[in-house]
Amino acid sequence: MREIGRRIVPVIVVLSALLAVWYAAAFVVDAPQGALALTRPLVPQPHQVAAALIAGIFQPLGPRSLIYHAGVTASSATVGFALAFVLGIALAIGIVNVRILDRSLMPWIIASQTVPALAVAPMVVVVLGNIGLTGLIPKALIAAWLSFFPIVTSMVAGLRSPERIQLDLMRTYDAGSWDVFAQLRWPSSMGFLFPGMKVAATLAVVGAIVAELPTGAVAGLGARLLGASYYGQTLQLWAALAMASILAVIAVAAVDAGRSVLVRVRGGRL
């Protein structure tokens, strides 16, 4: 109980401070304009956002349902994350084992993350649309592009984490390159991979939402944000943002669940 208290109390303190600042900001912005009781306040108060979020969640599935829009975004994010995972693992293995790939690919992988996603998304949508690829594929590719970087970097660090003495011991036993990879490098990388996957999972959600903005999508949290912003529906806007945060938390929890399964399979260690 004491350990649980140590974890929960700081969270409660920080959350309480954030809520206090939020209420104060809403009062300062809205009170002079008499907007505190309006349905479209400039800065909604936390309880107003919570009410709008609950109302959106419990709507029947359809264009007014946040669950419906979150499901559309989640499908793009999931496919994008899967693509990023496969591509990131493959690139990391190539970079660690082929020196020329390390020298040629890593600078470009790093440079790819300096380009704003909002600038890339319209170009990807237009180019793929001209060759007949619309709907899920462009959104998934943008989500993958945004989320593969932490997987690559964490996996490269993990594959390179074994110490020289461990590698020398493997060679002493006449282990081949595949044995070194399967018996040493790959197991050692798991402790590095999952933190990178947590970051990648949240970025996949962000990428899916960003990808929905220039596509003219009528479904998804990005479309919900765009529509609410266009019509000045601040409560719906903030509720959609809250739903996006919940979706990101669920994505991180799914990665944590996968890690827990792997820990049990490996006998309590990672």
Side-chain angles (χ1 to χ4, degrees):
M1 290 296 294
R2 183 176 298 178
E3 182 63 28
I4 295 176
R6 289 176 180 175
R7 294 183 179 182
I8 294 179
V9 170
V11 175
I12 294 176
V13 170
V14 172
L15 182 60
S16 300
L18 289 175
L19 289 175
V21 172
W22 188 347
Y23 272 111
F27 180 82
V28 170
V29 173
D30 293 333
Q33 304 181 40
L36 286 175
L38 297 180
T39 57
R40 295 186 181 182
L42 298 178
V43 178
Q45 299 175 59
H47 68 274
Q48 293 175 310
V49 176
L53 176 64
I54 293 171
I57 289 175
F58 288 99
Q59 285 280 346
L61 283 181
R64 297 176 62 86
S65 170
L66 284 176
I67 297 296
Y68 168 74
H69 291 290
V72 174
T73 299
S75 62
S76 302
T78 302
V79 175
F81 179 79
L83 292 174
F85 180 81
V86 173
L87 177 63
I89 296 295
L91 286 175
I93 293 173
I95 288 169
V96 169
N97 290 282
V98 182
R99 182 170 297 180
I100 191 172
L101 291 181
D102 184 14
R103 295 178 177 179
S104 61
L105 282 182
M106 279 304 291
W108 289 105
I109 291 174
I110 295 172
S112 70
Q113 301 303 299
T114 63
V115 182
L118 283 174
V120 174
M123 294 186 292
V124 172
V125 170
V126 170
V127 170
L128 294 181
N130 286 334
I131 60 176
L133 295 178
T134 59
L136 177 67
I137 295 178
K139 295 186 290 184
L141 288 177
I142 295 169
W145 171 75
L146 203 61
S147 61
F148 88 100
F149 179 74
I151 294 178
V152 174
T153 52
S154 61
M155 193 63 181
V156 167
L159 292 173
R160 288 176 172 168
S161 62
E163 299 178 2
R164 173 63 62 181
I165 190 172
Q166 294 173 309
L167 295 171
D168 291 342
L169 180 62
M170 293 290 290
R171 294 191 182 97
T172 300
Y173 290 118
D174 198 26
S177 298
W178 169 252
D179 293 320
V180 172
F181 173 79
Q183 303 290 334
L184 182 58
R185 291 191 183 276
W186 180 262
S188 299
S189 69
M190 292 298 100
F192 293 78
L193 176 60
F194 279 94
M197 288 175 63
K198 288 183 182 180
V199 177
T202 59
L203 290 177
V205 175
V206 173
I209 293 173
V210 168
E212 290 167 351
L213 299 179
T215 60
V218 295
L221 292 177
R224 183 78 166 182
L225 289 169
L226 195 62
S229 177
Y230 182 79
Y231 291 106
Q233 297 172 331
T234 53
L235 285 177
Q236 291 187 13
L237 179 66
W238 283 69
L241 287 172
M243 193 68 201
S245 300
I246 293 172
L247 191 59
V249 170
I250 292 173
V252 172
V255 174
D256 260 336
R259 181 184 181 278
S260 299
V261 171
L262 184 60
V263 167
R264 286 197 294 269
V265 169
R266 297 183 63 180
R269 61 185 180 86
L270 188 61

